[in-house]
Amino acid sequence: AMPGGLFAIRRAYFDKIGMYDTGLRVWGGENIELSMKVWRCLNGRVELVACSRVGHIFRDKGHTFPHGEGLHKNYKRVARVWLDDYYKFFENSFPRAKRFKTGDISEPMKIRHSLECQSMDWFVKNVFPDMYIPRDIIAEGLLVSEQTNTCLTTGGVEIASHPGQHPSSASAVMWKINHESDYNYWYFTRQDGGRVVHLGVWIEECLGASRERGLLVCQCGIGPGSSCTAADVRWEPHEVDPTQIRHVASKQCLALDGKVPKLAVCSSAHRWRFAPHAE
């Protein structure tokens, strides 16, 4: 997706694809909506042009959402119109959006159908095949310690999307169970050798562990400059007691030291469960 203030587009083409959804308020989500339209309708493309320059003038005052509006509502509108069956991943990862009603989305849906736009499944297969989609899921939900009835979170940190960008990692933190938090829903999958993954704002975020840094949330071993190696982020269910989550490289299990998550020798004292968000 191209940030909404950094692109250039022909006015006639912008008008033809329906411009922006007028139901979006203040800022946020318009870049995703426009990218979905361009890639999936009328055989469009989003291109990065080397050495190009696009001017953008920022407001000198802060952005304030009116009552009943917000970023989560904007994203929810875009998700409802464009994500199809993939909407469940948005809803699980950003449950605060449930607070907001989408409002009337008949007009953007009409535009999508009139332009005969491709499906989200087509986009994933043909435009963005490297897009992370949780598959071969062992368990999913809030990762809750049976010992303390608190859940593992990213601590509210949003991991950057590229190696070397800040923040590339954050401490894994235990919080009280919160069914409206955007930082506590995990997918335990067999993908890539076994991973525990949170879908963040910018990128998928892996639970990792290393001898030097202990337990952390990081970029998922995506290459040089990433905060974790592929080995750091590999996990598996314990073969005797699947409520224990074992780190493959260290052969130790996810545990707590008081309120601090860590690795420890696997034992029945370190049990976890995956709990769904409350309705």
Side-chain angles (χ1 to χ4, degrees):
M2 176 64 70
L6 306 180
F7 73 93
I9 189 171
R10 291 184 183 276
R11 181 172 180 175
Y13 179 76
F14 189 42
D15 181 65
K16 190 172 184 179
I17 62 174
M19 298 182 281
Y20 284 138
D21 172 10
T22 57
L24 301 177
R25 294 289 183 263
V26 187
W27 71 279
E30 77 286 346
N31 57 322
I32 305 296
E33 185 213 15
L34 186 63
S35 295
M36 290 289 98
K37 283 182 178 179
V38 171
W39 280 113
R40 292 165 56 179
C41 315
L42 304 178
N43 298 312
R45 297 174 61 88
V46 178
E47 296 185 344
L48 301 180
V49 182
C51 302
S52 62
R53 300 289 185 271
V54 177
H56 179 74
I57 301 174
F58 282 92
R59 292 176 51 174
D60 60 356
K61 296 182 179 179
H63 299 285
T64 302
F65 285 95
H67 178 72
E69 307 288 342
L71 274 175
H72 282 73
K73 178 179 178 180
N74 286 354
Y75 291 138
K76 186 174 183 177
R77 284 183 66 90
V78 175
R80 278 294 190 196
V81 174
W82 294 100
L83 293 192
D84 302 336
D85 291 341
Y86 294 81
Y87 180 80
K88 62 185 178 183
F89 296 114
F90 167 79
E91 188 173 49
N92 287 337
S93 297
F94 305 100
R96 282 190 62 199
K98 293 180 181 179
R99 290 185 182 183
F100 297 93
K101 296 181 179 179
T102 57
D104 184 4
I105 57 173
S106 60
E107 187 59 29
M109 289 298 296
K110 179 181 177 182
I111 291 171
R112 175 180 171 174
H113 292 306
S114 68
L115 296 177
E116 298 182 348
C117 301
Q118 300 283 0
S119 67
M120 184 64 185
D121 197 49
W122 176 92
F123 174 80
V124 171
K125 292 176 179 177
N126 294 277
V127 178
F128 198 177
D130 294 333
M131 180 178 179
Y132 182 80
I133 305 294
R135 305 185 194 281
D136 202 1
I137 298 170
I138 300 168
E140 65 177 276
L142 280 63
L143 185 46
V144 180
S145 166
E146 297 282 13
Q147 180 182 346
T148 62
N149 203 41
T150 57
C151 64
L152 189 77
T153 79
T154 69
V157 177
E158 297 168 353
I159 303 299
S161 58
H162 296 288
Q165 282 186 318
H166 178 78
S168 61
S169 65
S171 297
V173 178
M174 301 302 296
W175 283 355
K176 292 181 179 179
I177 293 174
N178 180 354
H179 293 287
E180 289 193 348
S181 172
D182 295 342
Y183 305 104
N184 62 8
Y185 197 93
W186 301 87
Y187 293 90
F188 189 11
T189 82
R190 296 183 181 88
Q191 284 173 279
D192 304 306
R195 292 184 173 181
V196 179
V197 181
H198 172 261
L199 300 183
V201 171
W202 307 114
I203 195 173
E204 65 274 14
E205 304 167 349
C206 278
L207 180 64
S210 68
R211 182 175 300 176
E212 297 78 19
R213 302 187 61 191
L215 203 68
L216 71 161
V217 181
C218 58
Q219 295 167 337
C220 296
I222 55 179
S226 176
S227 52
C228 286
T229 67
D232 290 340
V233 297
R234 287 188 62 194
W235 300 84
E236 63 186 2
H238 193 282
E239 66 275 6
V240 176
D241 182 359
T243 65
Q244 297 179 56
I245 301 173
R246 183 166 58 194
H247 187 244
V248 174
S250 68
K251 301 300 182 185
Q252 293 185 308
C253 284
L254 182 61
L256 288 182
D257 182 3
K259 297 181 179 180
V260 180
K262 66 168 189 174
L263 289 181
V265 175
C266 297
S267 81
S268 58
H270 310 309
R271 289 179 170 171
W272 301 78
R273 71 178 188 274
F274 285 86
H277 278 303
E279 293 297 328

